[in-house]
Amino acid sequence: MAFRVTQNMMNTQLLRNLNNNMSRMDNLQNQLSTGRRINKPSDDPVGISFSMRYRTELSSNEQYQTNVAAGLSWLSYSDTMMDQAGSVIQRLRELAVYSSNGTNPQAALDTFKKEVDQLYEQMVDIGNSQFNGKYVFNGQLTDVKPYTVDAAQTESTDDALIEFEVGAGVRIPVNVLGDKVFGYPADTDNVFRTIKDFSTALETGDFAAIGATISAIDTRMNKMLDVRADIGAKTNRIELVEARLKDISLNVESLQSKTEDADMAIVITNLKTDENVYQASLAAGSKLIQPSLMDFLR
């Protein structure tokens, strides 16, 4: 059965085809200007779901990397302070060895005492070290100064750990507890008590007490070295986590690019093709709409 094709039907079909062609050109021009294949959910509903998932993962990964950087900075600063504490205690040992010689006159012991008292204050300053305004050796009470010059040997620090999340469900403690470094108040090798006892022994000329100080210093020095070893182990682990997070970020960004980004060569080729088709449609349409009423009356 044949259908009668009217002029109005031909005009309507022409306009519909022109609009469809312009719509494709608009979409391609939008991709060309943004560099993205997906600019709205309707462009690719399945692809947009993957894209949102990738964006969420990248956002989480970025936060983990920020935590890793903060953790490494904290550990690095703690290690620096531990190095300074080690230098102080090493000097104390040297002074203890020098002054334990019974031939030293009291004047020499008094000179040693002056330096020991300065080293005591230096050790207290190290115990009160701050990183970004936070006391690093006082557990989670980072806004409270842990030690005072007058009573450091009787003071104990907070024992709560500061943990940074560096992965999904992965938390690593980054702070060093002051009691682990300098000793608990009841410890015989508490570094502050040891220095105070050393100073008193020098003042009274008690060579036996001076000699006993060496043993306490050695014990505390070994404990400090253990703490530094623990810092080093945590630093190595976090650096490995940092490298893994960077690899994950690169992989996810690659997947996101494949999902979202437009292939410029294909987009430009398709755009030129559609432009040619559009121009051809206009040329054909100009001939289609030429007939008028007068043409039908001839």
Side-chain angles (χ1 to χ4, degrees):
M1 178 180 177
F3 289 94
R4 180 171 179 270
V5 179
T6 66
Q7 183 69 34
N8 184 53
M9 292 173 62
M10 295 173 65
N11 293 341
T12 301
Q13 184 63 35
L14 172 65
L15 292 175
R16 182 183 299 111
N17 291 336
L18 287 174
N19 285 332
N20 289 339
N21 189 269
M22 291 182 66
S23 177
R24 291 196 305 271
M25 289 172 58
D26 177 66
N27 183 46
L28 291 170
Q29 287 174 344
N30 194 27
Q31 291 183 29
L32 189 62
S33 61
T34 62
R36 294 161 53 85
R37 184 179 64 85
I38 303 176
N39 292 287
K40 54 184 183 296
S42 60
D43 290 339
D44 186 351
V46 175
I48 200 68
S49 65
F50 282 101
S51 176
M52 294 178 64
R53 189 181 309 163
Y54 296 146
R55 289 174 180 272
T56 300
E57 188 168 348
L58 284 172
S59 178
S60 299
N61 190 279
E62 182 178 351
Q63 183 59 58
Y64 293 145
Q65 291 189 61
T66 300
N67 293 347
V68 162
L72 286 174
S73 298
W74 190 294
L75 287 170
S76 177
Y77 182 80
S78 298
D79 186 63
T80 299
M81 293 302 100
M82 289 296 302
D83 182 64
Q84 293 183 13
S87 298
V88 171
I89 204 166
Q90 180 61 43
R91 179 55 182 166
L92 285 168
R93 192 182 192 285
E94 292 173 0
L95 292 173
V97 172
Y98 295 155
S99 59
S100 62
N101 190 330
T103 61
N104 284 310
Q106 187 58 44
L109 297 182
D110 291 340
T111 301
F112 290 145
K113 180 182 183 303
K114 291 179 181 178
E115 183 174 356
V116 168
D117 290 342
Q118 291 299 314
L119 291 174
Y120 172 82
E121 293 187 12
Q122 177 63 18
M123 191 65 84
V124 173
D125 288 341
I126 293 173
N128 292 328
S129 298
Q130 289 180 283
F131 178 67
N132 287 338
K134 298 178 180 180
Y135 293 101
V136 297
F137 292 116
N138 201 24
Q140 294 184 358
L141 300 180
T142 55
D143 59 338
V144 179
K145 181 185 291 188
Y147 298 109
T148 60
V149 173
D150 295 332
Q153 67 272 20
T154 64
E155 294 170 329
S156 182
T157 60
D158 180 55
D159 61 356
L161 296 174
I162 298 175
E163 297 180 330
F164 284 2
E165 188 170 8
V166 297
V170 180
R171 306 177 68 88
I172 299 179
V174 298
N175 63 323
V176 177
L177 302 179
D179 288 340
K180 295 285 187 181
V181 177
F182 308 103
Y184 292 91
D187 290 345
T188 57
D189 62 345
N190 178 288
V191 70
F192 301 115
R193 175 175 292 104
T194 298
I195 299 175
K196 281 289 188 181
D197 292 344
F198 185 18
S199 177
T200 301
L202 289 171
E203 184 177 16
T204 60
D206 188 344
F207 290 101
I210 293 174
T213 300
I214 298 176
S215 177
I217 290 175
D218 286 342
T219 302
R220 179 49 51 186
M221 186 183 297
N222 289 332
K223 291 180 180 180
M224 286 185 174
L225 289 174
D226 289 340
V227 172
R228 290 199 70 181
D230 184 59
I231 291 176
K234 289 178 180 177
T235 300
N236 290 337
R237 181 185 176 189
I238 293 182
E239 286 176 346
L240 290 173
V241 171
E242 182 181 36
R244 182 176 64 83
L245 289 174
K246 289 181 179 179
D247 288 341
I248 291 174
S249 181
L250 288 174
N251 291 334
V252 175
E253 286 175 357
S254 177
L255 292 172
Q256 182 186 26
S257 177
K258 291 178 180 178
T259 302
E260 296 183 1
D261 295 349
D263 188 324
M264 289 294 103
I266 295 177
V267 171
I268 292 173
T269 300
N270 291 340
L271 181 59
K272 295 303 296 182
T273 300
D274 282 348
E275 286 177 350
N276 292 333
V277 171
Y278 182 68
Q279 293 298 328
S281 299
L282 289 177
S286 65
K287 297 183 180 300
L288 176 67
I289 62 177
Q290 280 182 351
S292 64
L293 179 61
M294 295 302 297
D295 296 316
F296 289 103
L297 293 176
R298 288 176 184 173

